[in-house]
Amino acid sequence: MTMPWLKSKEDMYSVYSRLGLIANLGPDMASNAGVKLEDFIISCRYMGGSCNVSTSFEKVFDPYYFNCFTFIPTSVINSANRLLGMEYGLSVLLFVGSAGQLTVSSNYDYIIPGMEETDPALTSGAGARVVVHTPHTIPHTTAEGFDIPPGFAVTIGVKARENVRIAEPHGNCSNWQQENVTFRYTLLDCQINCIQKRIMEQCGCVDNTIAVPDSNHGLPFCLKLPEIPEECYIEFDSRCMSILTNWSSTIECKKELYNNMTIVDPNSVDDCGCYPPCNDIVYDALYSLSTIPEKTEEHTAFYSVISQFLEEDFPMHKRAVLKKKHGEEYSD
């Protein structure tokens, strides 16, 4: 039998994780500690021409990867988007040395997003996470993305596939549409929102590992520490223990409900009435890797872009952090 105080101690490990950090600091503050667009994307080309980085990407906050950036072309030429080849697609040069560590202005050199990671498979590492998804849909980085290692040139081939499904009475699909909604409907979004709604109703908290609803009805994040009275720091009595026990019960409620609906009894999600959209377009992606060329005269143009970024565009205080962390390699 697990003692209540020991169970609360185990739950504290969840707090000292990336997700716990966001739950207690809030997404806005966590986003300020994440990588900035101008520090991450060095250059951008689309349809054979340069694109404006500041206007072509939209920030989307993710609980695991903090700041993500979705490419949104300001204009698409119908005749050009049918052409094949890398010169007609999106080409970006990423500076992954700043992801998840460097801050805009801080007394600290870098921030570690989570002291104790609850899921080692999602521990922050070098490189970038890429998701190819349908325009105007929510990107799901852990379910649909793949990792791109640093130091490589990556080519991603994308093929669009349109799905047209039969509606009732001969089939089940959703024509769900709603005005003033930012993102389009997807089956995964519907299932996630259903799980979130169950957690909010039965556990009285919001799970920040999945999509957070626009209205949380004043409910706290499940991993947010409860308010502890000052008296508890002097004398930890039964009332103080009750606060921790109730908080621990909330976390356990969330864990059990999520596991039941995703692992133990995944068919329970069918009760949510979620069906695939009657018409959607998905993108099959294949990618290949090649090493970035060494600094030779033949590749002067490539490295001149990087040098300009480090010398002119990258802030001085962040260059000092890179120099301290990686040595003279970033001091040019």
Side-chain angles (χ1 to χ4, degrees):
M1 179 178 180
T2 303
M3 299 299 291
W5 67 270
L6 183 60
K7 188 69 189 69
S8 298
K9 182 179 179 181
E10 293 176 358
D11 292 331
M12 287 298 294
Y13 284 102
S14 299
V15 175
Y16 291 110
S17 68
R18 201 175 332 181
L19 299 173
L21 178 71
I22 296 173
N24 287 275
L25 294 181
D28 292 338
M29 185 175 293
S31 179
N32 289 334
V35 64
K36 301 300 180 291
L37 175 64
E38 61 272 15
D39 297 341
F40 184 53
I41 301 179
I42 298 178
S43 65
C44 168
R45 292 184 63 83
Y46 182 64
M47 293 298 178
S50 298
C51 53
N52 190 320
V53 173
S54 60
T55 59
S56 299
F57 292 86
E58 182 179 87
K59 184 175 72 173
V60 178
F61 185 79
D62 182 86
Y64 289 102
Y65 297 96
F66 285 34
N67 293 341
C68 301
F69 305 99
T70 299
F71 176 67
I72 303 177
T74 55
S75 63
V76 177
I77 303 174
N78 293 331
S79 60
N81 62 10
R82 297 176 181 273
L83 300 176
L84 302 178
M86 293 184 290
E87 65 272 28
Y88 298 109
L90 172 65
S91 177
V92 292
L93 183 60
L94 304 179
F95 184 61
V96 297
S98 60
Q101 294 182 344
L102 301 176
T103 58
V104 174
S105 59
S106 173
N107 295 328
Y108 303 96
D109 288 343
Y110 53 89
I111 180 171
I112 301 176
M115 296 173 58
E116 190 75 29
E117 203 53 61
T118 55
D119 191 344
L122 297 172
T123 301
S124 179
R129 184 78 171 177
V130 175
V131 180
V132 179
H133 60 100
T134 305
H136 309 298
T137 60
I138 298 177
H140 297 282
T141 55
T142 57
E144 303 170 334
F146 48 88
D147 294 320
I148 300 296
F152 285 86
V154 183
T155 301
I156 301 178
V158 179
K159 183 179 181 180
R161 174 164 47 89
E162 183 177 11
N163 297 317
V164 179
R165 301 177 177 89
I166 301 176
E168 294 182 346
H170 304 289
N172 289 325
C173 67
S174 176
N175 276 318
W176 187 90
Q177 291 182 350
Q178 184 175 340
E179 295 182 356
N180 301 323
V181 175
T182 304
F183 297 101
R184 295 175 55 184
Y185 169 89
T186 65
L187 174 62
L188 184 57
D189 289 337
C190 180
Q191 294 172 337
I192 289 176
N193 289 331
C194 176
I195 296 174
Q196 183 72 273
K197 184 179 180 180
R198 297 277 181 87
I199 292 175
M200 294 171 63
E201 293 174 348
Q202 300 183 25
C203 305
C205 63
V206 178
D207 184 4
N208 66 306
T209 65
I210 56 181
V212 177
D214 295 332
S215 176
N216 59 5
H217 305 287
L219 298 177
F221 287 130
C222 299
L223 291 178
K224 184 175 177 58
L225 285 170
E227 294 186 6
I228 306 294
E230 294 183 2
E231 303 83 53
C232 293
Y233 295 100
I234 300 175
E235 182 179 356
F236 196 83
D237 55 18
S238 59
R239 181 171 64 97
C240 304
M241 176 59 72
S242 177
I243 294 175
L244 283 182
T245 302
N246 292 336
W247 172 68
S248 181
S249 298
T250 299
I251 294 181
E252 285 304 304
C253 174
K254 187 268 295 185
K255 289 181 180 178
E256 291 181 6
L257 195 151
Y258 187 87
N259 288 336
N260 287 336
M261 295 189 69
T262 58
I263 300 176
V264 179
D265 184 21
N267 293 330
S268 61
V269 181
D270 295 340
D271 298 334
C272 301
C274 295
Y275 301 104
C278 294
N279 188 290
D280 67 346
I281 297 177
V282 296
Y283 295 89
D284 301 322
L286 296 174
Y287 76 97
S288 60
L289 302 175
S290 61
T291 57
I292 290 179
E294 304 212 359
K295 294 183 180 180
T296 60
E297 293 183 1
E298 290 80 5
H299 304 100
T300 302
F302 175 82
Y303 284 101
S304 65
V305 175
I306 301 177
S307 298
Q308 179 183 2
F309 172 76
L310 292 175
E311 295 177 7
E312 300 178 11
D313 301 331
F314 207 58
M316 179 66 72
H317 73 278
K318 293 189 178 183
R319 274 183 272 161
V321 173
L322 286 173
K323 180 178 179 181
K324 177 180 177 180
K325 187 175 181 182
H326 298 284
E328 298 297 329
E329 179 181 356
Y330 293 95
S331 63
D332 294 339

